[in-house]
Amino acid sequence: MAGRKQIFVGRFISAPGPNDLLIQEGAVLVSSTDGHGIIEKTSWTAQNSKDALTEFGLSEKDVEVVEAHQNGFFFPGFIDTHIHAPQYPNVGIFGKSTLLDWLTTYTFPLEASIGDTGPAAETTSTTTTTTTNGAPSSPTNPQQPASKKRKLTPLPRAYKVYTKVVDRTLRNGTTTASYFATLSVPATNLLASIAHTRGQRAYIGRVCMDHPETCPDFYRDETPDQTIQHAIESIEYIQRLDPRGELLAPIVTPRFAPSCQAETLTRLGELALTRSLRVQTHISENKGEVELVSQLFPDRKNYTDVYDHAGLLTHRTILAHAIHLSNDEITTIAQRKSKISHCPASNSALGSGFCPVRKLLDAGLDVSLGTDVSGGYSVSILDSVRQTCLVSRQLGYVNGGEKRWNIGVTEGLWLATVGGARCVGMEDRLGGFEVGMLWDVQEVVLDEVDGDEDGDGKGQVDIFGWENWEERVDKWVWNGDDRNVRRVWVGGRLVHERG
Amino acid sequence: MAGRKQIFVGRFISAPGPNDLLIQEGAVLVSSTDGHGIIEKTSWTAQNSKDALTEFGLSEKDVEVVEAHQNGFFFPGFIDTHIHAPQYPNVGIFGKSTLLDWLTTYTFPLEASIGDTGPAAETTSTTTTTTTNGAPSSPTNPQQPASKKRKLTPLPRAYKVYTKVVDRTLRNGTTTASYFATLSVPATNLLASIAHTRGQRAYIGRVCMDHPETCPDFYRDETPDQTIQHAIESIEYIQRLDPRGELLAPIVTPRFAPSCQAETLTRLGELALTRSLRVQTHISENKGEVELVSQLFPDRKNYTDVYDHAGLLTHRTILAHAIHLSNDEITTIAQRKSKISHCPASNSALGSGFCPVRKLLDAGLDVSLGTDVSGGYSVSILDSVRQTCLVSRQLGYVNGGEKRWNIGVTEGLWLATVGGARCVGMEDRLGGFEVGMLWDVQEVVLDEVDGDEDGDGKGQVDIFGWENWEERVDKWVWNGDDRNVRRVWVGGRLVHERG
């Protein structure tokens, strides 16, 4: 792909600011080297591909021209800053539980099973292909028919689940995802291989948990030494897959404070510092959890201080949930420039509370969106935008009808793109259509009622023809789904095309 | 269709009680007379169609046999007890408004335009077909290709919008809908014709509003006399279309207390009483609205008393929202046996508050679900089930973590079916698979990951194969959409089949 050039022509919509929905028509020139397609030039005067070629000084034979559908637009890919890949099979299965009993009843058993080797609930296979890391020895194409695809991996369940979750997130427009995996190093490495092969931008975290009082015996590291050793094994595997670390990178992942011994937290902080790694974990999701942390770490001022003391609060750290933080904690997080992943679907589904997003933003924190599969029931960041808006209205209601809590569609989309880019430290590279940014983009198509008489297969968004483009974006956010995502690119590479 | 018999074979799932998810395999015999297909016999021992024929003492030539998909099940059709058909083009368009300004800014202008005659944003047409009532003179088939379908109705916008909303609700499994139309009698009658032609069970309400202080000049009746006269015109048209009133029926529809003069409310109450008609309206959706009612009706004790005084609180009355009722009001509504339509998506989207469903149920009220399009952004009652569960968890959180507020998937589905049946006075006829009930049913299909390698067109529910059927139903509720609805019947008639 060295030297490849593409011109994208049509309507470009993005949310560069919380109240700024930018709707442009024109063309963008993307140049790719080694699979990293970057916006080299833009033209907001070009009316068609011919204009674009002229403006960019190129001829047809030099470039691939990609035109957006006339009823569609290019939009920055979504960034999911908090998703548990192994929990995907449990989406929608949580009964009436809240966080701590949900972990025990639904989550830990499933996560533990992901590392299962040997016969599983898989179909038969004739080919054996293994590597020492448990990853497939060659890239596999998940789009192949079933009969050609089945290889006997030593991790059949991980292969099936991780292939599906990467596919589902891509087809919902998620170009970057920060994944929690499981304790299993081979299965975590397999997730990294699958995401890398499919071309999704991904941060992969081998989950660390070793506190004997809070973790089940069947699903924890035995000692801090073992935790660190396994973390390093996975980090080094991932870094070998993508030495540059732009498309694929490891992320240090203590599950959350209650699941780790104090020594482990400190050593993971050192690991992140010495190797300049991202960190992800949970914070202050549930009142019971906050109370548990205060019991487990009596010497620390609060939940935030547990991470701060361990050196885990850095500008590369993503903290999921952040619902019940005190003002002191918010100040500390702002000082450390750590990032927040807001997961509204999960918070509502588990009855965890209402994350005060406006308050966090006002305090200067960077906030992004996470699906939190499977505390959250949906892999779709578009659904997270929707839930963010709904929860903000409810928070306004709870606060006596104050409108300041309101997060509208544009601000929600801004959190899902620019907010995500800031939270993964890629604000100069992701989230918009500026020169120098990576072409991580989804093409969204909204069909007009007049051209969609049968209604099948084209999604649930109905455009009657009199709506302006701002209203069409509203309609997309509230009723859109994967059917409206026609194509998805990561770094200029086409990684999904709707069949 | 006189004497037609059908046997439905496969898995039957229903929610006969709030904590009772009934999963049965077997067969059901449906006998239809004049388009009213009723369950004549059931067999929960038949393993296949051959067994069923034997058990029912029939031979193949006597019946049509319909088998559920092996990965699917029959489920009672959804009942949407509160939906504004003319507002459908505005789904997702509400900005940051709350109820009263949303009505003025978004809703009234759109509703007023539905009755527009003459040229509209429609394609050209060559055929002119009119009737005195503004309804198409012959049944039209919305499934026909566009080129054959276009007839020049005198109400092009109403035709386009109402055709689409009936189609969208049917394909999402809504077999019964209680529609608010607009002030326009011809457009309201057109909605009745379209629903009747497509075969959806529908209650159609010509909206009454005539209070000069609260209604815009461009969109209100001029006098109580005119309001009543227009209401009667539409009622009589609808009763001519379906004299039996089981598939299609009029419903007396004062918009809400603030929009009607006191005399109008009283005369509408008399109209409903003398003609034994259903009534639908809104109650206590928003705190500002409650305050407005107290100002407009200073002689009445509370919002509920306004309707009660007018004779509008009957056992045939559906009250939408019911968020901010006092205990006295709940008692009065219980005494009158009036029904509640809970509209969680709308309540969250407009920041109206949290409807205390558990409290209403505990007080003995019948509660059902409404999409409240377009205060609600989705035509899907399945989405309403989801939002009901989410809002109940949030209400539990707001009430200090009390679990009693929790509404789980089964109870949500019960509200969407049995609850709906009770609220439209059809509890013996709708909502389950008992002998004597109408065959208003959707067939739901959930694909297994192994058979769905391309992922396209089969929805977002992924079944990994190890889930039991209760868990599959959970997954359907949380990630299902119209793609999972393979077929829909109303009164035994196939009214939708997925392409």
Side-chain angles (χ1 to χ4, degrees):
Chain A
M1 290 211 275
R4 180 186 182 208
K5 287 190 188 294
Q6 296 161 290
I7 291 177
F8 295 88
V9 184
R11 192 174 291 103
F12 296 74
I13 302 183
S14 59
N19 296 302
D20 182 14
L21 188 74
L22 185 61
I23 302 172
Q24 299 170 294
E25 299 198 19
V28 160
L29 173 66
V30 173
S31 295
S32 296
T33 315
D34 301 329
H36 298 269
I38 290 165
I39 298 175
E40 187 181 323
K41 292 180 183 173
T42 59
S43 161
W44 306 121
T45 52
Q47 308 246 335
N48 51 45
S49 60
K50 196 168 158 245
D51 288 358
L53 288 165
T54 307
E55 286 210 35
F56 297 143
L58 293 164
S59 75
E60 268 183 62
K61 63 178 172 41
D62 302 328
V63 297
E64 175 198 1
V65 175
V66 181
E67 299 194 25
H69 192 285
Q70 61 170 346
N71 292 331
F73 53 90
F74 297 113
F75 195 85
F78 289 136
I79 298 171
D80 184 346
T81 56
H82 188 67
I83 174 169
H84 294 264
Q87 295 175 21
Y88 176 62
N90 268 357
V91 282
I93 302 178
F94 46 82
K96 298 179 180 178
S97 53
T98 48
L99 178 66
L100 300 178
D101 52 318
W102 168 76
L103 285 171
T104 309
T105 309
Y106 296 97
T107 305
F108 292 151
L110 175 62
E111 286 197 16
S113 77
I114 291 290
D116 283 354
T117 54
E122 299 297 296
T123 56
T124 54
S125 174
T126 52
T127 319
T128 301
T129 315
T130 61
T131 71
T132 50
N133 287 294
S137 61
S138 63
T140 55
N141 180 357
Q143 302 285 19
Q144 285 178 349
S147 58
K148 295 183 187 168
K149 192 180 105 187
R150 294 273 150 54
K151 294 186 181 179
L152 188 61
T153 91
L155 294 159
R157 183 173 275 215
Y159 182 79
K160 186 172 183 171
V161 170
Y162 288 158
T163 298
K164 199 71 196 177
V165 74
V166 171
D167 183 60
R168 279 288 180 198
T169 50
L170 280 175
R171 69 173 56 236
N172 278 281
T174 298
T175 49
T176 299
S178 195
Y179 287 112
F180 279 58
T182 70
L183 268 68
S184 163
V185 173
T188 300
N189 295 350
L190 177 60
L191 172 60
S193 295
I194 289 169
H196 196 56
T197 303
R198 275 301 300 272
Q200 189 174 47
R201 200 173 301 285
Y203 313 117
I204 308 285
R206 185 264 171 192
V207 171
C208 297
M209 46 193 282
D210 62 6
H211 201 305
E213 288 177 39
T214 58
C215 303
D217 288 343
F218 66 85
Y219 191 53
R220 63 176 162 85
D221 291 316
E222 289 175 18
T223 61
D225 280 348
Q226 193 190 58
T227 304
I228 301 302
Q229 182 197 328
H230 286 178
I232 289 173
E233 282 175 25
S234 187
I235 288 164
E236 294 184 345
Y237 174 87
I238 291 163
Q239 291 183 325
R240 283 196 302 275
L241 275 180
D242 183 7
R244 189 165 147 182
E246 191 170 84
L247 188 61
L248 181 75
I251 183 164
V252 173
T253 305
R255 181 172 211 111
F256 66 154
S259 64
C260 293
Q261 301 188 48
E263 177 192 342
T264 303
L265 291 173
T266 303
R267 290 176 65 183
L268 288 171
E270 290 164 3
L271 185 65
L273 178 69
T274 54
R275 300 193 183 212
S276 299
L277 297 172
R278 288 184 181 84
V279 175
Q280 64 183 351
T281 189
H282 301 79
I283 197 165
S284 206
E285 176 176 358
N286 170 290
K287 287 184 175 176
E289 170 210 8
V290 174
E291 176 59 27
L292 179 62
V293 171
S294 73
Q295 289 167 15
L296 291 168
F297 300 88
D299 298 339
R300 302 274 69 84
K301 279 186 292 185
N302 50 45
Y303 201 154
T304 299
D305 191 44
V306 174
Y307 292 138
D308 197 32
H309 183 79
L312 285 163
L313 280 196
T314 77
H315 69 285
R316 294 192 200 91
T317 300
I318 301 170
L319 301 166
H321 301 294
I323 300 176
H324 307 287
L325 296 173
S326 66
N327 291 339
D328 276 356
E329 290 180 278
I330 293 173
T331 301
T332 301
I333 292 169
Q335 287 168 345
R336 301 293 178 266
K337 300 190 191 307
S338 298
K339 317 300 184 185
I340 304 297
S341 179
H342 172 46
C343 306
S346 166
N347 298 342
S348 298
L350 294 176
S352 303
F354 304 91
C355 176
V357 174
R358 178 68 60 222
K359 184 177 176 181
L360 301 180
L361 289 170
D362 286 351
L365 268 59
D366 288 321
V367 180
S368 55
L369 300 186
T371 57
D372 193 26
V373 164
S374 69
Y377 51 83
S378 166
V379 294
S380 162
I381 283 288
L382 194 69
D383 188 73
S384 298
V385 172
R386 217 174 282 158
Q387 297 303 322
T388 296
C389 295
L390 293 176
V391 165
S392 80
R393 303 305 302 263
Q394 294 168 324
L395 200 54
Y397 174 78
V398 169
N399 285 281
E402 282 183 28
K403 291 200 173 176
R404 79 178 191 95
W405 297 96
N406 275 4
I407 292 176
V409 160
T410 298
E411 191 166 10
L413 292 171
W414 172 74
L415 293 170
T417 53
V418 174
R422 290 181 180 178
C423 289
V424 301
M426 297 274 279
E427 57 268 37
D428 297 329
R429 307 279 280 160
L430 298 176
F433 297 110
E434 289 166 42
V435 170
M437 286 187 165
L438 288 154
W439 185 257
D440 283 25
V441 171
Q442 54 187 314
E443 181 193 3
V444 176
V445 178
L446 308 173
D447 286 291
E448 299 218 6
V449 169
D450 280 337
D452 181 34
E453 298 305 329
D454 66 358
D456 270 326
K458 291 181 178 171
Q460 302 234 52
V461 180
D462 281 322
I463 302 299
F464 281 81
W466 58 71
E467 303 90 339
N468 63 35
W469 274 98
E470 191 161 4
E471 291 168 335
R472 290 176 194 220
V473 169
D474 285 345
K475 287 191 153 192
W476 169 52
V477 166
W478 288 102
N479 280 299
D481 61 34
D482 57 321
R483 285 172 285 188
N484 301 107
V485 180
R486 187 181 178 209
R487 288 179 285 194
V488 179
W489 297 264
V490 174
R493 175 183 169 195
L494 184 68
V495 294
H496 168 65
E497 182 160 17
R498 204 178 165 280
Chain B
M1 291 208 277
R4 180 185 182 210
K5 287 190 187 292
Q6 297 161 289
I7 292 177
F8 296 88
V9 184
R11 193 174 289 104
F12 297 74
I13 302 183
S14 59
N19 297 301
D20 181 14
L21 188 74
L22 185 60
I23 302 171
Q24 298 171 293
E25 298 197 18
V28 160
L29 173 65
V30 173
S31 295
S32 296
T33 314
D34 301 328
H36 298 268
I38 290 166
I39 298 175
E40 188 181 324
K41 292 180 183 173
T42 59
S43 162
W44 306 121
T45 53
Q47 308 247 332
N48 50 45
S49 58
K50 194 166 161 249
D51 288 358
L53 287 166
T54 307
E55 287 211 33
F56 296 143
L58 294 163
S59 76
E60 268 184 64
K61 63 178 172 42
D62 302 327
V63 296
E64 175 198 2
V65 175
V66 180
E67 299 194 25
H69 192 285
Q70 60 170 347
N71 293 330
F73 53 91
F74 297 113
F75 195 85
F78 290 136
I79 298 170
D80 184 346
T81 55
H82 188 66
I83 173 168
H84 294 265
Q87 296 175 19
Y88 176 62
N90 269 357
V91 282
I93 302 180
F94 47 82
K96 297 179 181 180
S97 52
T98 49
L99 177 66
L100 299 178
D101 54 319
W102 168 76
L103 285 171
T104 309
T105 310
Y106 296 98
T107 305
F108 292 152
L110 175 63
E111 286 196 15
S113 77
I114 291 290
D116 283 353
T117 53
E122 298 297 296
T123 55
T124 55
S125 174
T126 52
T127 318
T128 301
T129 314
T130 61
T131 71
T132 51
N133 287 294
S137 61
S138 62
T140 55
N141 179 355
Q143 302 285 21
Q144 285 179 348
S147 58
K148 294 184 188 169
K149 192 181 105 185
R150 293 275 148 54
K151 294 184 181 179
L152 187 63
T153 92
L155 295 159
R157 184 173 277 215
Y159 182 79
K160 187 171 183 172
V161 170
Y162 289 157
T163 299
K164 198 71 196 176
V165 74
V166 171
D167 182 60
R168 279 288 181 200
T169 50
L170 280 175
R171 68 173 56 235
N172 278 279
T174 298
T175 48
T176 299
S178 194
Y179 288 112
F180 279 58
T182 70
L183 268 67
S184 163
V185 174
T188 300
N189 295 350
L190 178 60
L191 172 60
S193 295
I194 290 169
H196 195 57
T197 303
R198 275 300 300 273
Q200 189 173 46
R201 199 173 304 284
Y203 312 117
I204 309 285
R206 185 263 174 193
V207 171
C208 298
M209 48 193 280
D210 62 5
H211 201 304
E213 287 175 38
T214 58
C215 304
D217 288 342
F218 66 85
Y219 193 53
R220 63 175 161 86
D221 291 317
E222 289 175 20
T223 60
D225 280 348
Q226 193 188 57
T227 305
I228 301 302
Q229 182 198 329
H230 286 180
I232 289 173
E233 283 175 24
S234 188
I235 288 164
E236 294 184 346
Y237 174 88
I238 291 163
Q239 290 182 327
R240 283 196 300 274
L241 274 180
D242 183 6
R244 189 165 148 183
E246 191 170 82
L247 188 59
L248 181 74
I251 182 164
V252 173
T253 306
R255 182 173 211 110
F256 66 154
S259 64
C260 293
Q261 301 187 48
E263 178 192 342
T264 303
L265 291 173
T266 304
R267 290 177 63 183
L268 288 171
E270 289 165 2
L271 186 65
L273 178 69
T274 54
R275 300 191 184 214
S276 299
L277 297 172
R278 289 185 180 84
V279 175
Q280 63 183 352
T281 189
H282 301 80
I283 198 165
S284 207
E285 176 176 359
N286 169 291
K287 287 184 175 176
E289 170 211 10
V290 174
E291 176 58 28
L292 178 63
V293 171
S294 73
Q295 289 167 14
L296 291 168
F297 299 89
D299 297 339
R300 301 274 67 84
K301 277 186 292 184
N302 49 46
Y303 202 153
T304 299
D305 190 44
V306 174
Y307 292 137
D308 198 29
H309 182 79
L312 285 162
L313 281 197
T314 78
H315 69 285
R316 295 192 200 93
T317 301
I318 302 169
L319 301 167
H321 301 294
I323 299 175
H324 306 287
L325 296 174
S326 67
N327 290 340
D328 277 355
E329 292 180 276
I330 293 172
T331 301
T332 302
I333 293 170
Q335 286 168 346
R336 302 291 177 269
K337 300 191 192 307
S338 298
K339 318 299 184 186
I340 304 297
S341 179
H342 172 47
C343 307
S346 166
N347 298 341
S348 298
L350 294 176
S352 302
F354 305 91
C355 175
V357 175
R358 178 68 60 222
K359 184 176 174 180
L360 301 180
L361 290 170
D362 287 349
L365 270 59
D366 287 322
V367 180
S368 54
L369 300 186
T371 57
D372 192 27
V373 164
S374 69
Y377 50 83
S378 167
V379 294
S380 161
I381 283 288
L382 194 69
D383 188 73
S384 298
V385 173
R386 217 174 279 157
Q387 297 303 322
T388 296
C389 295
L390 293 176
V391 165
S392 79
R393 303 306 299 263
Q394 294 167 326
L395 199 55
Y397 174 77
V398 168
N399 284 283
E402 281 182 28
K403 291 199 173 176
R404 79 178 191 95
W405 297 96
N406 275 3
I407 292 176
V409 160
T410 298
E411 192 167 9
L413 291 171
W414 173 74
L415 293 170
T417 53
V418 174
R422 290 181 179 178
C423 288
V424 300
M426 298 273 280
E427 57 269 37
D428 297 330
R429 309 279 281 161
L430 298 175
F433 297 111
E434 289 166 43
V435 170
M437 286 188 165
L438 288 154
W439 185 256
D440 283 24
V441 171
Q442 54 188 314
E443 181 193 3
V444 176
V445 178
L446 308 174
D447 286 291
E448 299 219 4
V449 169
D450 280 337
D452 182 33
E453 297 305 328
D454 65 359
D456 272 325
K458 293 180 178 171
Q460 301 234 53
V461 180
D462 282 321
I463 302 299
F464 282 81
W466 56 70
E467 303 90 341
N468 63 35
W469 274 98
E470 190 161 5
E471 291 168 335
R472 291 175 194 220
V473 169
D474 285 346
K475 288 190 152 191
W476 168 52
V477 166
W478 288 101
N479 280 299
D481 60 35
D482 57 320
R483 286 172 283 189
N484 301 107
V485 180
R486 188 180 178 211
R487 288 179 284 194
V488 179
W489 297 263
V490 175
R493 175 182 168 195
L494 184 68
V495 294
H496 168 65
E497 182 160 17
R498 203 176 164 282

